[in-house]
Amino acid sequence: MNNTFYRGRRLRRTPALRDLVRETEIRPQDLIQPYFVVETDDPEFSQPISSMPGQAQYSLNKLQERVAQAVDLGLRALILFGIPKEKDPKGSQAYADTGIVQEAVRRLKARWPELVVITDVCMCEFTSHGHCGILENQYVQNDITLDYLAKTALSHARAGADMVAPSDMMDGRIQAIREALDKKGFEELPIMSYAVKSASSFYGPFREAAESAPAFGDRKSYQMDPANLRQAMCEAQADLDEGADILMVKPALPYLDVLRRIRDGFDVPTAAYQVSGEYSMIKAGAQMGWIDEQKIVMESLTSIKRAGADLIITYFAENVLRWMA
Ligand code: PBG
């Protein structure tokens, strides 16, 4: 009998054959590990984040210890989130030159000049009300906030950050930040824009980790409606036009279609953020013994890559490096 059907199994027969034809691979250098650094008088401070097993808030010292281990494993890039001692309505610790993120950047860059240190640029961890911008009449004011974001990005640049990543979702922020950086001689500092950031419930555990839950209301007047794909293209186009170097889609796994559209629609590098809720769900399932953590993580990250991510921010980065070693 003559076979007329497709025999896909021919190339799946052995591990070596499968390896030969594999189309997508996670590379250690694609991974960015997030860290939470706390401004505290206790140099030994380290507090596990209950909803994110394996992740913790660290003092500067403890952060440095943790990063040292990660660098030994081969970590090349990280993104920093800061938790200040004092919060106020204008989030002044976000742009203070002595702020916790700025201190952490200086520390890490002094110790590891080659490490790519990225900073999250946003107000929500620094404002007493937990919103990502400046409030007036209980409403986040777009244009007023731009100055604050630009100041924040500039202070990160001065501290020695290798890249800034605005996550606030104000309109015009990339332009404001680009202008501020260029004016002060940071024209070669790249901006990774959280361009397509949905108002997602998957950020729940992060808000415990970063102590950044809004005191009232939600973020829906600035973050995107998860239902919108065409609008995602508009957001990405706008950020690119304003000077973004990398476009990010966030969350990742529930938004693979968005990721693919962005990858196909724009020729700049695309980043995906596997967010806290994605992490916590996998951790919870694994702790229950219902799923195999390592296999599920690798499959998820491979899917994110396959859908178009060039780089991936993931709380599993350190673990992946460990598994790949
Ligand atoms: C700050 C910010 C958030 C995340 C990254 N930057 C939280 C939010 O928008 O509420 C979420 C990251 C995660 O869930 O892992 N605006």
Side-chain angles (χ1 to χ4, degrees), residues 48-79:
I49 298 155
S50 63
S51 56
M52 301 177 72
Q55 305 300 313
Q57 298 177 333
Y58 296 111
S59 65
L60 283 169
N61 276 356
K62 285 288 171 186
L63 174 72
Q64 191 168 331
E65 281 175 26
R66 176 91 182 222
V67 171
Q69 289 172 10
V71 168
D72 282 346
L73 290 167
L75 188 76
R76 308 279 295 276
L78 56 81
I79 183 164

Side-chain angles (χ1 to χ4, degrees), residues 84 86-92 94-95 122-141 144-145 148 170 207 210-219 222:
E86 307 285 348
K87 305 192 185 211
D88 56 53
K90 302 241 144 74
S92 53
Y95 41 89
C122 194
M123 309 297 293
C124 65
E125 296 114 60
F126 303 91
T127 52
S128 40
H129 45 73
H131 276 288
C132 302
I134 304 300
L135 289 185
E136 255 171 41
N137 306 321
Q138 302 286 87
Y139 186 73
V140 175
Q141 300 294 315
I144 296 171
T145 301
Y148 291 85
M170 298 302 121
R207 294 182 186 167
E211 301 177 12
S212 67
F216 66 90
D218 53 41
R219 305 208 199 290
Y222 39 104

Side-chain angles (χ1 to χ4, degrees), residues 79 81 119-121 164-169 173-174 191-197 203 206 235 239 246-250 273 313:
I79 183 164
F81 296 93
T119 55
D120 183 87
V121 175
V164 291
S167 67
D168 52 282
M169 287 301 276
R173 72 210 202 276
I174 303 300
I191 301 176
M192 173 160 68
S193 173
Y194 287 71
V196 181
K197 177 173 176 180
Y203 309 150
F206 174 95
E235 288 286 351
D239 285 8
I246 299 175
L247 296 172
M248 192 200 300
V249 173
K250 177 187 174 194
Y273 197 143
I313 302 174

Side-chain angles (χ1 to χ4, degrees), residues 7-310:
R7 285 204 184 266
R9 293 185 59 183
R10 282 181 194 133
L11 295 177
R12 283 179 219 137
R13 213 167 39 82
T14 69
L17 278 170
R18 293 195 291 274
D19 286 350
L20 270 179
V21 299
R22 181 160 305 118
E23 299 172 29
T24 310
E25 206 105 46
I26 301 297
R27 307 182 311 164
Q29 64 265 40
D30 300 330
L31 303 175
I32 302 168
Q33 173 78 41
Y35 291 103
F36 300 98
V37 58
V38 183
E39 187 181 5
T40 165
D41 294 328
D42 176 5
E44 298 310 305
F45 181 88
S46 148
Q47 172 137 311
I49 298 155
S50 63
S51 56
M52 301 177 72
Q55 305 300 313
Q57 298 177 333
Y58 296 111
S59 65
L60 283 169
N61 276 356
K62 285 288 171 186
L63 174 72
Q64 191 168 331
E65 281 175 26
R66 176 91 182 222
V67 171
Q69 289 172 10
V71 168
D72 282 346
L73 290 167
L75 188 76
R76 308 279 295 276
L78 56 81
I79 183 164
L80 289 177
F81 296 93
I83 299 127
K85 218 186 259 178
E86 307 285 348
K87 305 192 185 211
D88 56 53
K90 302 241 144 74
S92 53
Q93 287 305 305
Y95 41 89
D97 279 326
T98 52
I100 184 61
V101 171
Q102 292 80 352
E103 297 283 4
V105 170
R106 277 191 289 270
R107 268 272 194 136
L108 297 179
K109 288 304 292 184
R111 175 81 177 68
W112 296 283
E114 306 295 315
L115 188 67
V116 179
V117 173
I118 306 168
T119 55
D120 183 87
V121 175
C122 194
M123 309 297 293
C124 65
E125 296 114 60
F126 303 91
T127 52
S128 40
H129 45 73
H131 276 288
C132 302
I134 304 300
L135 289 185
E136 255 171 41
N137 306 321
Q138 302 286 87
Y139 186 73
V140 175
Q141 300 294 315
N142 194 84
D143 295 18
I144 296 171
T145 301
L146 297 181
D147 284 342
Y148 291 85
L149 294 167
K151 277 198 283 190
T152 302
L154 190 57
S155 72
H156 294 173
R158 278 200 203 101
D162 293 291
M163 192 176 333
V164 291
S167 67
D168 52 282
M169 287 301 276
M170 298 302 121
D171 297 325
R173 72 210 202 276
I174 303 300
Q175 178 179 299
I177 291 171
R178 187 72 270 161
E179 276 177 14
L181 291 175
D182 290 358
K183 218 186 289 172
K184 298 291 183 191
F186 294 103
E187 48 282 275
E188 298 216 332
L189 194 86
I191 301 176
M192 173 160 68
S193 173
Y194 287 71
V196 181
K197 177 173 176 180
S198 291
S200 171
S201 298
F202 284 93
Y203 309 150
F206 174 95
R207 294 182 186 167
E208 177 200 336
E211 301 177 12
S212 67
F216 66 90
D218 53 41
R219 305 208 199 290
K220 290 180 185 168
S221 81
Y222 39 104
Q223 298 179 347
M224 282 189 58
D225 184 337
N228 293 348
L229 178 56
R230 293 192 305 263
Q231 201 177 75
M233 298 302 280
C234 296
E235 288 286 351
Q237 184 70 62
D239 285 8
L240 195 57
D241 291 346
E242 291 176 31
D245 300 282
I246 299 175
L247 296 172
M248 192 200 300
V249 173
K250 177 187 174 194
L253 206 60
Y255 293 75
L256 293 186
D257 57 327
V258 182
L259 194 51
R260 173 46 63 193
R261 273 295 294 277
I262 297 293
R263 169 70 289 172
D264 289 345
F266 304 96
D267 287 331
V268 293
T270 307
Y273 197 143
Q274 183 185 48
V275 301
S276 56
E278 298 178 73
Y279 176 85
S280 301
M281 290 196 307
I282 294 175
K283 279 288 183 186
Q287 284 187 349
M288 293 300 285
W290 292 340
I291 55 170
D292 180 319
E293 177 174 339
Q294 182 173 342
K295 289 184 177 144
I296 292 268
V297 169
M298 293 312 286
E299 184 175 335
S300 302
L301 294 176
T302 301
S303 297
I304 291 166
K305 198 98 214 265
R306 191 195 62 234
D310 300 297

